[in-house]
């Protein structure tokens, strides 16, 4: 856009995406078309749970808890300099040149839940009725969207308010790749996708983001490709976790050392990482690390978002690896209880302390936390459950949603007293630093490691019965290792076949111009830029379902059978 002036940037939603983006955009002192740095205004609706964030930001404080290196200092500095501020009033960004939308999206059953998103977009669209006539603001969705949403749902929503895409506004999307505990680092260093409905839009967004993405590469594409790639990133990781869960459950049933197997497989794949021995390392290998469940905002929903339009058209999901992985991963809390009971005996009516309510280490994020599901299952068994976390607030909305406020505490000593069994659910550094209270606790009856926090040198010091996910002691045989490798490669090919079919479906049903069509090769390349590992192989024929002593991977069965009954065949 010629003579483009960027005087104000709005950020709607100061969560784990919006807060670091707003802080870094303010800190960058962006000057485009004028000599003064663009002001950054954060918008947060005045809700019961989150309304406090406006006053916090305006006092120079980040609203993100847990350990977030650098973020508080950047917020404090930017507020003092008068560049960063926050408001409850959407009218304060009616004259913004760029508006980032960082509102949480979720799923409701087998479809997206855009309720909160529409609430924010409606308020934004109403405010933009008063925008200066000469301005055509770029609205950038940092939120994850189901493929085709930009071309249909979001564009149509603004049109209802007379805001026509390409004429009155420009719509783009740049799905985030942040990670709790490393927000500032990930924004600056991660490669980032930028999509749009018009060819000019991604280029303009890139000009803005180049001021804060200093070490990563900015890739421009269309909105559909960005939507597919983002949901695929998390769906693919969900599949890898599910495959690893299938294998670890077999290992636990047969006393095989899963972590020794993991290192063998990942070395063979040239995808080794440090996560086997470092509980605060992010797994990026082929075989990941199954825990008590899969939490967080993205992984439990994004596979469903990727499949939404096909499900909407009543197309068959029976042989979908992506949809099938959800069922495997949802079983994890119950499987953890069963594993613990094989060592400790029945847990019925026992006193259980669950350590770690957040889904991720060193974070306060409880969204879809498997700890909460585990607590629910244990309570149903008559257990007296206590939950501890050093970072999560007692009034956390998910703690309150489950009705667990009466059993949650930040007092570590209190939760360790008068308990029968300790379940380590989240590998907070806090629990590693204070491990002596667990290792030498003779008042308890057992320790269950559900997050790969302790290793042989520590386990040997624990003075009560211990068990953990993947903690068998037998060396994996060469035959078993080959079976796992072959099954993994078949699963990888199955994912590629499924993605190719999905892309063909989206192009045939939603892409109205050549610019807005997705290509498998582009999605494959962009996925490979994900720092946690998303290497999609080429599609191809799967020769057979591999078997070892009667054991077969369900995911490989899905991949093989999809070639007989394709995933795009209607029910």
């Amino acid at each position: 856009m010629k003579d483009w002036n960027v005087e104000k940037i709005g950020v709607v939603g100061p969560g784990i995406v919006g807060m670091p983006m707003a802080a870094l955009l303010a800190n960058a002192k962006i000057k485009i078309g004028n000599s003064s740095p663009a002001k950054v205004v954060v918008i947060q609706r005045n809700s019961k749970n989150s309304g406090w964030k406006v006053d916090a930001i305006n006092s120079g404080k980040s609203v993100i808890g847990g350990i977030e290196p650098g973020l508080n200092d950047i917020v404090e500095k930017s507020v003092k300099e008068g560049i960063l501020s926050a408001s409850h009033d959407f009218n304060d960004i009616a004259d913004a040149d760029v508006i980032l939308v960082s509102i949480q999206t979720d799923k409701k059953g087998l479809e997206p839940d855009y309720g909160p998103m529409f609430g924010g977009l409606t308020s934004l669209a109403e405010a933009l009725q008063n925008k200066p006539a000469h301005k055509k603001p770029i609205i950038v969705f940092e939120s994850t969207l189901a493929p085709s949403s930009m071309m249909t749902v979001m564009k149509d929503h603004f049109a209802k308010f007379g805001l026509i895409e390409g004429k009155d506004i420009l719509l783009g999307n740049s799905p985030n790749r942040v990670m709790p505990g490393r927000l500032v680092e990930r924004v600056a260093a991660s490669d980032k996708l930028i999509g749009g409905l018009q060819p000019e839009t991604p280029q303009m967004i890139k000009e803005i983001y180049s001021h804060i993405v200093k070490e990563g590469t900015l890739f421009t594409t269309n909105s559909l490709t960005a939507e597919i790639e983002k949901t695929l990133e998390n769906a693919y990781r969900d599949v890898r976790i599910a495959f690893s869960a299938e294998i670890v459950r077999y290992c636990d049933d047969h006393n095989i050392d899963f972590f020794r197997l993991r290192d063998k497989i990942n070395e063979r794949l040239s995808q080794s990482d440090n996560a086997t021995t470092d509980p605060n390392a992010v797994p990026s290998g082929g075989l990941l690390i199954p825990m008590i469940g899969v939490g967080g905002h993205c992984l439990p929903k994004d596979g469903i978002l990727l499949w939404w339009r096909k499900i909407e058209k009543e197309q068959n999901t029976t042989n979908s690896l992506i949809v099938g992985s959800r069922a495997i991963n949802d079983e994890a809390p119950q499987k953890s209880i069963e594993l613990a009971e094989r060592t400790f005996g029945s847990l019925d009516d026992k006193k259980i302390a669950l350590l770690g309510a957040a889904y991720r280490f060193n974070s306060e994020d409880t969204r879809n936390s498997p700890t909460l599901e585990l607590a629910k299952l244990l309570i149903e068994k008559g257990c007296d459950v206590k939950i501890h976390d050093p970072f999560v607030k007692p009034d956390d909305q998910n703690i309150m949603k489950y009705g667990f406020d009466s059993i949650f505490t930040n007092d570590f000593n209190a939760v360790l007293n008068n308990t029968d069994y300790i379940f380590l659910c989240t590998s907070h550094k806090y629990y590693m630093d204070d491990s002596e209270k667990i290792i030498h606790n003779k008042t308890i009856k057992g320790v269950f490691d559900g997050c790969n926090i302790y290793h042989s040198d520590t386990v040997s010091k624990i003075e009560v019965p211990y068990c953990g996910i993947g903690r068998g002691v037998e060396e994996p045989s060469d035959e078993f290792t080959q079976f796992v490798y072959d099954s993994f490669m078949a699963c990888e090919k199955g994912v590629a076949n499924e993605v190719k079919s999905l892309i063909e479906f989206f192009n045939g049903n939603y892409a109205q111009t050549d610019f807005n069509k997705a290509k498998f090769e582009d999605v494959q390349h962009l996925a490979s830029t994900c720092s946690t590992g998303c290497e999609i192989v080429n599609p191809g024929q799967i020769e057979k379902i591999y078997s070892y002593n009667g054991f077969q991977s369900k995911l490989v069965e899905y991949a093989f059978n999809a070639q007989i009954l394709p995933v795009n065949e209607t029910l």
Side-chain angles (χ1 to χ4, degrees), residues 510-544:
Y510 299 100
Q512 298 175 351
T513 67
D514 286 341
F515 171 75
N516 283 300
K517 287 184 177 179
K519 297 178 182 177
F520 177 86
E521 294 76 13
D522 291 343
V523 171
Q524 184 184 44
H525 171 65
L526 293 171
S528 71
T529 67
C530 175
S531 62
T532 56
C534 190
E535 300 287 342
I536 306 299
V537 302
N538 291 326
Q541 185 72 21
I542 298 165
E543 300 300 330
K544 65 177 182 177

Side-chain angles (χ1 to χ4, degrees), residues 4-11 25 39 93 95-100 136-140 204-205 208-209:
W4 189 31
N5 293 324
V6 180
E7 299 171 314
K8 183 183 287 187
I9 300 171
V11 178
L25 287 166
K39 298 293 180 68
I93 58 170
D95 59 343
D97 304 281
V98 180
I99 301 168
L100 278 61
K136 186 191 295 186
I138 301 176
I139 300 172
V140 188
M204 297 173 72
I205 300 170
I208 291 285
Y209 283 4

Side-chain angles (χ1 to χ4, degrees), residues 110-112 146-147 231-232 235 301-324 495 498-499 501-502 505-506 562 566-569:
L110 297 176
E111 62 183 29
T231 48
L232 171 61
K301 70 172 174 64
D302 282 4
I304 299 302
L305 297 190
L306 181 56
W307 258 86
W308 165 49
R309 287 298 196 184
K310 280 194 139 185
I311 294 173
E312 184 181 55
K313 291 183 179 294
E314 298 186 340
Q315 297 207 354
N316 192 358
T317 64
T318 301
N319 293 312
S320 165
L321 283 81
I322 292 170
V323 177
V495 171
E498 189 167 330
V499 170
S501 174
L502 286 164
F505 170 82
F506 292 129
V567 291
N568 63 347
E569 185 172 314

Side-chain angles (χ1 to χ4, degrees), residues 18-293:
M19 186 74 259
M21 289 296 290
L24 288 169
L25 287 166
N27 187 59
K29 297 182 174 63
I30 296 171
K31 299 176 183 178
I32 297 176
N34 56 71
S35 58
S36 299
K39 298 293 180 68
V40 179
V41 180
V42 176
I43 300 296
Q44 167 63 58
R45 67 187 182 92
N46 196 13
S47 67
K48 178 181 178 181
N49 291 324
S50 300
W52 60 273
K53 293 182 179 181
V54 167
D55 288 341
I57 293 170
N58 287 333
S59 66
K61 298 176 182 176
S62 164
V63 296
I64 307 300
I67 301 173
E68 289 297 346
L71 185 56
N72 278 301
D73 292 341
I74 296 172
V75 173
E76 182 180 12
K77 175 175 173 286
S78 298
V79 170
K80 282 183 178 178
E81 292 175 340
I83 300 176
L84 178 65
S85 63
S87 172
H88 294 303
D89 191 351
F90 277 82
N91 287 309
D92 287 339
I93 58 170
D95 59 343
D97 304 281
V98 180
I99 301 168
L100 278 61
V101 177
S102 301
I103 301 173
Q104 181 170 297
T105 58
D106 212 326
K107 70 178 177 69
K108 180 171 58 180
L110 297 176
E111 62 183 29
D113 181 4
Y114 288 145
M117 174 68 77
F118 286 148
L121 294 185
T122 296
S123 296
L124 175 60
E126 290 173 347
L128 289 178
Q129 303 300 304
N130 301 315
K131 74 178 182 67
H134 68 282
K135 289 199 174 186
K136 186 191 295 186
I138 301 176
I139 300 172
V140 188
F141 287 79
E142 285 279 331
S143 311
T144 301
L145 301 175
S148 80
S149 292
M150 284 288 287
M151 291 187 289
T152 57
V153 180
M154 303 308 162
K155 184 176 74 171
D156 291 350
H157 187 77
F158 281 105
K160 292 176 183 177
F161 295 86
L163 297 168
I164 306 304
E165 203 284 325
K167 175 177 174 290
D168 304 297
I169 57 175
L170 292 173
L171 295 180
N173 52 325
S174 183
N176 72 84
R177 283 173 164 170
V178 299
M179 181 179 291
R182 303 179 181 183
L183 296 178
V184 171
E185 171 197 332
R186 288 297 293 269
V187 171
S190 296
D191 294 340
K192 192 165 175 58
L193 279 62
I194 303 172
L197 295 181
Q198 308 287 333
E200 67 185 291
T201 306
Q203 300 303 326
M204 297 173 72
I205 300 170
K206 182 178 180 179
E207 186 174 352
I208 291 285
Y209 283 4
S210 64
H211 290 82
I212 61 174
V213 179
K214 294 296 188 179
E215 300 168 47
T217 301
L218 296 169
F219 294 95
T220 58
T221 184
N222 58 60
S223 287
L224 178 61
T225 298
E227 289 167 333
I228 293 171
E229 194 287 325
K230 174 57 179 176
T231 48
L232 171 61
E233 241 175 66
N234 292 313
Y236 174 71
R237 191 166 182 82
D238 204 37
V239 172
R240 278 193 165 186
I241 294 173
F243 178 81
S244 302
E246 289 189 288
I247 301 305
V248 82
R249 290 168 194 172
Y250 182 88
C251 288
D252 287 336
D253 288 344
H254 296 84
N255 198 29
I256 299 170
D257 184 342
F258 170 80
F259 292 96
R260 177 68 181 131
L261 172 69
R262 176 179 192 265
D263 288 344
K264 283 186 173 184
I265 295 295
N266 289 349
E267 183 178 357
R268 189 167 173 181
L269 293 167
S270 298
Q271 295 184 30
S272 297
D273 60 28
N274 297 324
T276 290
T277 55
D278 181 357
N280 278 181
V282 179
S284 59
L287 275 188
L288 298 179
I289 297 181
M291 300 188 189
I292 61 166

Side-chain angles (χ1 to χ4, degrees), residues 344-359:
F344 306 140
S346 174
L347 295 176
D348 291 5
D349 303 320
K350 299 296 189 296
K351 297 176 181 178
I352 311 288
L354 304 182
L355 304 186
Y359 85 90

Side-chain angles (χ1 to χ4, degrees), residues 472-492:
V473 298
E474 299 293 334
E475 179 77 9
S477 68
D478 291 343
E479 183 184 1
F480 181 57
T481 302
Q482 184 65 45
F483 157 76
V484 173
Y485 177 83
D486 290 337
S487 296
F488 177 83
M489 296 307 296
C491 188
E492 293 282 279

Side-chain angles (χ1 to χ4, degrees), residues 330-433:
D330 283 344
E331 294 172 344
Q334 179 60 42
K335 293 294 184 181
S336 297
I337 293 173
E338 293 170 7
L339 178 60
E341 290 188 323
R342 291 211 293 268
T343 298
F344 306 140
S346 174
L347 295 176
D348 291 5
D349 303 320
K350 299 296 189 296
K351 297 176 181 178
I352 311 288
L354 304 182
L355 304 186
Y359 85 90
R360 188 181 185 279
F361 58 81
N362 304 333
S363 159
E364 66 168 355
D365 197 339
T366 60
R367 291 176 296 178
N368 294 309
S369 170
T371 302
L372 305 183
E373 281 298 312
L374 179 61
K376 179 181 174 182
L377 292 172
L378 288 168
I379 290 170
E380 290 172 358
K381 290 174 67 65
C383 297
D384 180 358
V385 176
K386 300 295 182 185
I387 305 173
H388 172 267
D389 196 292
F391 302 119
V392 173
K393 299 179 180 66
D395 63 349
D396 174 87
Q397 59 182 337
N398 292 306
I399 296 291
M400 303 295 286
K401 176 182 174 182
Y402 274 80
F404 288 165
D405 48 307
S406 64
I407 66 172
F408 177 81
T409 181
N410 296 128
D411 188 335
F412 191 36
N413 292 323
V415 81
L416 291 183
N417 293 331
N418 194 29
T419 192
D420 295 321
Y421 296 98
I422 292 173
F423 276 53
L424 288 147
C425 302
T426 313
S427 58
H428 289 316
K429 188 175 182 294
Y430 179 94
Y431 297 136
M432 291 183 274
D433 292 344

